[in-house]
Amino acid sequence: MTLYSNTSPAPRRTFFPASLLLGFLLLCTPMQARAESPESPETQPHAENLEHTATPESAPEAEPEPQSPPAQDFPADPATRLSMARHAFNTADFDLLRPLLEPLLTPQSLLDDLLDRQEARQLLSLGLFFEAQQVPDASQRRTLLRAARGHFLNLLREQPDFTLDPLVYPASVVELFENVREENREELHNIRAAQSAEIIATTTPEFQMLYIEREVQTHRFALNFFPFGVGQFQNDSPVKGTLFAVSQGLALAINITSYLMIEHLRGADGLYETSSTARGGNYAEALAWQRAQYSSLGAFAALYAWSILDGILNFNDTQIHIRTLDAPPPELNIPGPSAGNDPGLTLGLSIHWRW
């Protein structure tokens, strides 16, 4: 159809290029739609074949981490969950061990007590082991066993000498545990050595030089017959020795004093003065001093005999005295080598004797 305009002298020149542009767009639209349309079912298998063909040439992918079982309505308290896991183990509900204990040990332990952590790791490893025996996929089975071995290794890292009770756990679980110990023997040895060094460092006090003097005294039996507490001092009884020495010395002093007073009261002719009515005067006074002389002599004799008896009853042939010293005694000071002298060491011996 031809359009005419009253104002345009050549209408075909005005609309002809627009018609060509519209036609070009109509022709290009189906091609663009086909290019953007999804692949046909016939081409999809070919793409999948290419993908499967390229997979062996690429690097092998890491095995996925074990997926946790669906969360159940378990309490949040770690002690309660551990108690429930213990009950599940006793009733052979091994499927509950992993959902109960895995949140307590991964990514970090929520159990502060060492014994609770050890028990939780044992039960969780047991649950992972039995779950691995039930899954048909080999890759998932290896993943579960690797997780069980990891918890066993963490248990051994805290206590390298830990062992599973074969009467409680199956032999296959015990064998897996011992394989983990053998594979990590060097690491566990280093941990054990570090723990021993730490224990020694925290429990062993600093060494201090201590000097002990041991003195051996040899006693003489004859000293028990000496007066003035000699036998008591020899037997290391200074209190009794002092009492005997003072009392015997006082009695002897009175005896000597009495004798001197008696001789002082004697006259030049060797006689004592008396009064006419009675024997008084110097004679009476001399008699009093004589009684004191005899009494003191008897007291001295009694005290002397008592000291002899006490010394014999408590007599020991030898007596050992031990004491600690802040510095070595002079007897142990060995002089060093000096110029012009023999550089050889000399050892001296000194003997002290005391009552």
Side-chain angles (χ1 to χ4, degrees), residues 215-224 230-237 311 314-321 352-355:
E215 182 181 0
V216 180
Q217 295 180 355
T218 302
H219 295 168
R220 299 293 182 267
F221 186 78
L223 295 179
N224 293 318
V230 172
Q232 283 68 40
F233 286 114
Q234 176 182 241
N235 295 333
D236 200 15
S237 299
N314 298 290
F315 176 75
N316 291 317
D317 293 336
T318 57
Q319 191 169 8
I320 300 176
H321 297 273
H352 299 274
W353 181 83
R354 69 178 184 181
W355 290 359

Side-chain angles (χ1 to χ4, degrees), residues 26-297:
L26 292 176
L27 290 174
C28 293
T29 299
M31 296 175 61
Q32 184 179 2
R34 287 194 298 269
E36 294 179 355
S37 62
E39 297 179 354
S40 59
E42 291 77 8
T43 61
Q44 291 181 356
H46 179 67
E48 292 177 0
N49 293 335
L50 292 177
E51 181 181 359
H52 289 294
T53 305
T55 301
E57 299 177 358
S58 60
E61 298 181 357
E63 296 182 359
E65 295 295 331
Q67 300 295 327
S68 301
Q72 302 187 29
D73 188 13
F74 292 135
D77 181 48
T80 305
R81 295 175 75 102
L82 180 59
S83 178
M84 294 177 63
R86 191 182 299 115
H87 178 72
F89 172 74
N90 294 332
T91 56
D93 294 331
F94 302 131
D95 296 337
L96 297 178
L97 295 178
R98 185 180 172 192
L100 280 170
L101 298 177
E102 197 168 42
L104 302 182
L105 298 174
T106 55
Q108 60 183 3
S109 176
L110 302 180
L111 300 172
D112 298 330
D113 186 72
L114 175 61
L115 297 180
D116 290 345
R117 286 198 305 273
Q118 291 178 351
E119 183 180 9
R121 295 188 195 281
Q122 297 176 63
L123 296 178
L124 178 56
S125 300
L126 178 66
L128 290 168
F129 179 83
F130 276 99
E131 187 176 347
Q133 309 307 313
Q134 298 174 0
V135 295
D137 186 19
S139 176
Q140 187 177 2
R141 185 183 304 111
R142 289 194 300 269
T143 303
L144 292 171
L145 290 177
R146 185 173 64 251
R149 297 170 71 91
H151 288 291
F152 276 149
L153 180 58
N154 290 334
L155 190 154
L156 288 171
R157 283 171 176 168
E158 286 190 334
Q159 191 172 354
D161 296 327
F162 188 86
T163 57
L164 288 182
D165 189 354
L167 300 179
V168 177
Y169 294 95
S172 54
V173 177
V174 176
E175 182 180 0
L176 178 65
F177 180 80
E178 294 301 327
N179 288 339
V180 173
R181 185 201 304 276
E182 183 64 24
E183 292 176 358
N184 301 271
R185 178 174 54 184
E186 184 176 356
E187 178 184 357
L188 297 178
H189 175 74
N190 296 334
I191 293 175
R192 191 181 295 107
Q195 291 178 352
S196 300
E198 182 179 359
I199 293 175
I200 294 175
T202 55
T203 58
T204 303
E206 296 182 358
F207 290 100
Q208 181 180 4
M209 185 66 69
L210 180 64
Y211 297 95
I212 300 177
E213 182 184 54
R214 182 175 181 269
E215 182 181 0
V216 180
Q217 295 180 355
T218 302
H219 295 168
R220 299 293 182 267
F221 186 78
L223 295 179
N224 293 318
F225 296 94
F226 280 57
F228 304 110
V230 172
Q232 283 68 40
F233 286 114
Q234 176 182 241
N235 295 333
D236 200 15
S237 299
V239 175
K240 291 193 295 184
T242 303
L243 292 177
F244 280 119
V246 172
S247 59
Q248 291 179 12
L250 181 60
L252 184 59
I254 294 175
N255 181 269
I256 296 175
T257 303
S258 300
Y259 172 77
L260 295 176
M261 290 302 298
I262 292 173
E263 293 300 322
H264 176 69
L265 295 174
R266 190 187 299 271
D269 55 357
L271 300 177
Y272 300 94
E273 295 182 1
T274 60
S275 61
S276 58
T277 56
R279 289 182 176 273
N282 293 340
Y283 180 74
E285 188 176 355
L287 288 177
W289 282 110
Q290 188 180 35
R291 287 193 292 269
Q293 180 185 13
Y294 292 154
S295 299
S296 62
L297 180 60

